Every structure is written in C-alpha cells, then in structure tokens.
Amino acid sequence: MLVRGLRRKIGVILQLQVNGDVHEVDVPDHWTLLEVLRYRLGLTGSKQGCDKGDCGACTVLLDGQPAISCLVLAREAEGRSVLTIEGLAPRHVAAGGCGVDPVQAAFDASGALQCGFCQSGMILSAWALLARNPRPRPEEVRAALAGNLCRCTGYTQIFDAVARLATAGAATAPETSPEAVRD
Amino acid sequence: MLRLPSFRLEQPDTLPQALALLDQAGPEAAVLAGGTDLLPNMKHELRRPSVVIALSRVKGLTGIAEAADGAIEIGAMTPLAEVAQSALVARALPALAQAAALVAGPQLRQRGTLGGNVLLDTRCQYVNQSHFWRSALGFCLKKDGTVCHVVAGGSRCVAAASADTVPALMTLGAVLEVARHDRTRQLPIDAFFVADGIVNRRLEPTELLTRVRVPRPAAGHRGAYGKLRERGSIDFPLLGVAARLDLSEAGVVEHADLVLTSLAAAPRRVAGAADALRGSAPGHAPAEFETAVRRVAELARRQCRPLPNLPGDHEWRGEMVPVYARRTLLAAAAGQGPVHHV
C-alpha cells in the first residue's frame, strides 16, 4: 500500500529512450511526450505550437516515423525509440560525419527558414522521408511535409532544401556510409 | 498551451483485459486508439474521462486480411496509413484506400486508426474550440450548454459527421464487429449512425469496435472518394463523397451507391442514385452515363442543405455537392480518383 501510495504521489517512473539515451522520469499519466521532452528533459527543440495536431511543430521520430508528440501520451512512448532535433547532429557525428546533419546543412544552405519555429519538425519529417526514400520526387516531398505547417517561407526554400539532398543522392539515410555522407 | 486534464491511464495487454476494464469504468472511461481525435477533444475539455484505456498494447487488433469467403477484414487499430498503402485495399476497395489516404496529414495517418476514424466524434466550428473560447461565446447543446449557435432556436445538435472512411465503408456495405465483455455483435455500418450531433454512434459505453469487415466486392466493382477541404494538406472534410459502381461483364451498371458526409450529424445516402445509374454503361454509352450522373448530382443537391456548422461558407459547400458528386462518380467509372482540389 505504501509503495502504491508513493507511486500515485510521484506519478510513474518511466523509461524513455530519447536520442539513444535512456532517461528515467516521473510523469503523471496525462502528460504528453512533448511535455516530458520540454519540461522534464529540457529538450526544447521540439516546439509547442497548436498543441492539437494541426501544425506539426512538435514532430519527433518514434521508431523512425514522424509523430506528433503533443498527441502521444508519454507512457505510450515507453519502449520505443524517440529521436528529436537535438539528436540529429550527435547521431551524424557518431556515424563518422562532422558538423550538423546534412538535412540541417541543406536547410541552412537553402535559407529554408525565417522564424524557425517549424524547422525542427520540418527537418525531422524530411529526414524520415530521405531515410526511407533517398531520391524522392517533388510530389513525394510535398506529401511527406504536408503535416508540417510554415507561416513564413511559403515552403519554396524548404522544398529546395530537400531537393538539394535528393539530387545529391540522399546523404542522410542511416544505412548510408559516412564516406557517402561527406561526399 | 493546451494541457490534458488529469486521468488514470490503463494499458491492457489483451482484449479481455481491455473489455473488463471498460466494463468496470463504463461511461467514466475513454478508449484511446491513435489519440488524434480523443486527445485534442480532451484538451478542449469536450471530454473529461477519469480513466483512459489505451489499446496500443492489445494484440490482435491490427492488420488487413482477406477471409476465406473473399471478405476483407481490417483490425480496428490498423493505422490509416497502412489502409491507404495496402495493395489489397487499393485493388479491391479503391474508395476506402482513397479516403484513408486523404485523412489529415502523414503523421496523423500514421498514428490514427481505421476504428478511430469510424468512431470520430462529430465536429462543429462552435464545438472544436478551447474551453475558454466556448465559455466566452456561451456553451452549446453538444457540450455544457442549452442553445445551438448554428441553428437559431435549434433543439437538436447538428455537429457534422466528419469521418472520411465512413461514406466509403457505407458504399461497400461494411459490417462492424463490436465486442463487450460478455458478447460480440456484428452491426451493419448503415445502422450505426444516427442524426444526433451529440453522439452519432450507436456504441454502448462498455463496447469496443474491434474489426471492420467488408464483404467481397463484385468482380466489376469501381469506387472513388472525393474530398473538399480548406487546405489540401491536413484538414477535416467540408464535404466527403464516396461513390460505388458495380459493372457487369458487359460493362453495364448493376448496382450503384453514393454517400455524402460532413453535411449533417449522420452521413447521408443519396436516395434514388442507384435507380438513376442502374442500366447505364459508362464504357459503351458515355453520354447516356453522364446524363445519369448529372441526374444523380442534381438529386444530391436537392437532398443536401449544408448548415453553417463547419468553417467556411456553407452555401458554397452546398454548391459543391453536385460538383463533387458528379466528379466522384465519373472518377469511379474511369477507375480513377480521388477527387481532390490539390
């Protein structure tokens, strides 16, 4: 009973695998994955926009698939791998690359942002697309980014950034060798 | 910032466990599938369940399979993206594949499920707002209030049925498998919806939708889905149209159906559509077929009077009814679709 009472008081200890690290966090049942990322783990790269699944600013990758983290209960993410924008560059470096991830570099080179609020979700959706399809056609790029809204750019530079990588043969696919990434 | 109200989360591993939990909690419980409808509604305080029963760990509720009798069975927890990408669904049930592919955006289709879409709550521009917004205007019939902001003096909620897959499943004669702790029943989807915007589904609080079963389609089955929405990338339908044409070997229409959604609290079948189209032959006598299609489009226009229950101009939605009815039927006949503005 004591243990049960304690559990209730502090919530439930969750094990979350975020960007390759395992975090133990105590979270009430009604907290979303986004709230845990931002307010327990300090990973504020995932943005809190509409908070109801319209804007895509909170997009993270759950087992490699883009997911709206404001509509995923934190406890439902247990046992799954979470990748946030903060995890991209370390992952790239760990794979032998240098600097930021090629998708981030392409967004930079294409000027694919103004205020930057949509950018982390946009980059992760693009990253997931390129991981499964290194040479997407323009309509596939548009379809893959349909769930991420941008109020500044008019999308052109964002599509340019992804097209830049698609033409380069998609350096970002996880199975791609680091040499190919540098080329 | 929209926070979820607090609740106790249950994550059962098996269907009997889930049904037992649901039986104990009754109307206090909400069932969580993909969460893409339930969680925003809870954030808006349209629902405040004390217990949320998540189905993500329950085995046996996902997957698409062809039964021995040729029927196609889809588990209620199958993601919409999987329904949209299934070669079997695309070949046998094109209207359903097209409808599933047009629900929301890619992230939400990955998480949202077919069962969740069938059970989607009704929507209204005066309802799908934050508690603060609704309290400022004054609450309405759907939740916490006694008036309707859509129909002055209205006593019946007119929030719109907004599930894309439902009209497609209605044209296909789908049957819903619904489980309770002590029994399972099969319910034709045609008998599942009622014209009450507060709750338009005939599902008891202790019941769970487990499977959608679509009878084997005719050899010459053609289907298509048309969707009108504000933004091509993500929005709920302002109008959804599902068409079915079953052609004989000679190419003559033997059976036809047209079902519309997002107009009223229940999806609506266009009366007289089957009779008007039966006997025409799109391949051999296209002009005659098009005349029949125009007659059906006119029937749809006369039978549907959109209300200002969804964002945008409702008279424009009314004008779009015959346009989308016609285009969707023509797309079905040509083996094409979906009909979509972007």
Side-chain angles (χ1 to χ4, degrees):
Chain A
M1 280 312 285
L2 179 66
V3 173
R4 196 183 162 88
L6 200 62
R7 245 171 80 97
R8 184 125 310 157
K9 194 166 181 195
I10 62 171
V12 179
I13 302 291
L14 268 191
Q15 280 202 349
L16 277 183
Q17 196 205 319
V18 182
N19 301 331
D21 298 326
V22 176
H23 297 269
E24 289 198 340
V25 282
D26 67 289
V27 199
D29 284 0
H30 65 282
W31 274 43
T32 63
L33 175 59
L34 177 66
E35 288 163 348
V36 172
L37 292 173
R38 290 180 61 88
Y39 307 122
R40 282 284 193 272
L41 305 183
L43 298 172
T44 52
S46 306
K47 300 302 176 202
Q48 195 160 15
C50 69
D51 240 342
K52 52 182 180 157
D54 287 346
C55 73
C58 65
T59 298
V60 300
L61 301 188
L62 259 189
D63 292 337
Q65 293 279 1
I68 302 281
S69 63
C70 77
L71 294 185
V72 176
L73 295 180
R75 280 184 60 190
E76 292 272 276
E78 202 169 21
R80 309 182 65 178
S81 110
V82 181
L83 184 65
T84 73
I85 191 72
E86 290 90 347
L88 279 192
R91 188 190 165 103
H92 175 59
V93 171
C98 58
V100 295
D101 186 272
V103 183
Q104 292 172 306
F107 270 62
D108 185 10
S110 300
L113 80 155
Q114 286 177 32
C115 84
F117 197 82
C118 73
Q119 202 188 12
S120 32
M122 203 66 88
I123 285 176
L124 286 166
S125 282
W127 195 92
L129 167 71
L130 291 161
R132 66 171 186 273
N133 177 5
R135 289 181 174 274
R137 297 191 306 272
E139 62 270 25
E140 290 173 324
V141 175
R142 294 171 77 95
L145 299 183
N148 294 85
L149 303 190
C150 173
R151 306 286 78 167
C152 308
T153 64
Y155 300 101
T156 307
Q157 298 97 320
I158 293 170
F159 296 144
D160 284 351
V162 185
R164 186 184 285 257
L165 291 158
T167 318
T172 52
E175 59 275 16
T176 313
S177 70
E179 285 70 26
V181 171
R182 276 197 293 270
D183 293 345
Chain B
M1 186 191 281
L2 288 168
R3 303 294 308 272
L4 283 167
S6 61
F7 52 82
R8 189 179 92 239
L9 179 67
E10 296 285 354
Q11 295 170 296
D13 293 311
T14 67
L15 185 59
Q17 282 173 11
L19 294 172
L21 283 165
L22 202 51
D23 186 52
Q24 286 159 21
E28 290 292 299
V31 175
L32 176 69
T36 57
D37 183 45
L38 177 68
L39 297 182
N41 287 350
M42 284 172 62
K43 288 183 174 188
H44 284 161
E45 296 186 44
L46 293 167
R47 291 192 68 178
R48 289 207 66 152
S50 59
V51 185
V52 170
I53 302 171
L55 299 182
S56 56
R57 295 182 184 174
V58 176
K59 289 164 195 72
L61 291 181
T62 57
I64 303 169
E66 199 167 0
D69 63 354
I72 293 172
E73 296 182 339
I74 307 176
M77 284 291 285
T78 308
L80 287 161
E82 199 178 320
V83 176
Q85 288 156 12
S86 155
L88 173 62
V89 176
R91 175 169 48 80
L93 317 171
L96 178 62
Q98 293 173 16
L102 287 181
V103 177
Q107 297 100 317
L108 297 180
R109 283 195 296 277
Q110 198 65 46
R111 191 120 190 112
T113 64
L114 180 65
N117 193 248
V118 169
L119 298 179
L120 188 82
D121 202 356
T122 56
R123 299 186 62 81
C124 177
Q125 59 177 330
Y126 299 102
V127 169
N128 298 101
Q129 305 286 354
S130 67
H131 186 270
F132 173 76
W133 192 103
R134 290 184 294 120
S135 71
L137 181 69
F139 296 110
C140 73
L141 287 172
K142 169 93 173 162
K143 186 74 172 77
D144 303 327
T146 54
V147 297
C148 179
H149 298 305
V150 176
V151 180
S155 58
R156 186 150 200 168
C157 176
V158 292
S162 300
D164 288 299
T165 60
V166 165
L169 289 169
M170 284 176 68
T171 62
L172 293 162
V175 175
L176 306 178
E177 185 185 283
V178 172
R180 201 173 67 185
H181 75 285
D182 56 349
R183 62 153 166 77
T184 301
R185 62 181 178 131
Q186 313 275 334
L187 199 63
I189 196 167
D190 279 354
F192 189 65
F193 293 97
V194 289
D196 180 357
I198 295 175
V199 180
N200 72 344
R201 286 95 58 210
R202 285 204 173 104
L203 189 75
E204 293 171 17
T206 54
E207 284 183 327
L208 203 63
L209 172 62
T210 51
R211 199 189 314 264
V212 177
R213 188 182 150 87
V214 184
R216 176 195 200 130
H221 169 74
R222 307 271 177 90
Y225 183 69
K227 177 167 181 172
L228 177 72
R229 53 180 169 177
E230 282 180 316
R231 294 166 291 189
S233 54
I234 54 170
D235 285 315
F236 281 97
L238 296 174
L239 169 67
V241 182
R244 167 181 177 173
L245 295 170
D246 289 353
L247 305 183
S248 69
E249 273 184 40
V252 176
V253 176
E254 289 183 316
H255 179 68
D257 200 3
L258 192 70
V259 178
L260 279 64
T261 196
S262 297
L263 298 168
R268 179 189 286 264
R269 168 166 288 120
V270 176
D275 287 340
L277 290 161
R278 200 175 289 123
S280 61
H284 307 302
E288 183 199 325
F289 175 70
E290 278 195 42
T291 308
V293 166
R294 281 179 192 280
R295 203 157 53 230
V296 173
E298 180 58 21
L299 287 173
R301 191 186 66 77
R302 274 195 230 146
Q303 290 171 26
C304 302
R305 288 281 150 81
L307 296 165
N309 50 3
L310 296 179
D313 181 346
H314 64 285
E315 291 182 356
W316 173 67
R317 275 162 66 217
E319 295 298 321
M320 288 299 108
V321 166
V323 175
Y324 272 68
R326 177 169 53 80
R327 289 183 185 170
T328 308
L329 279 165
L330 292 175
Q336 293 169 353
V339 175
H340 191 225
H341 67 291
V342 283

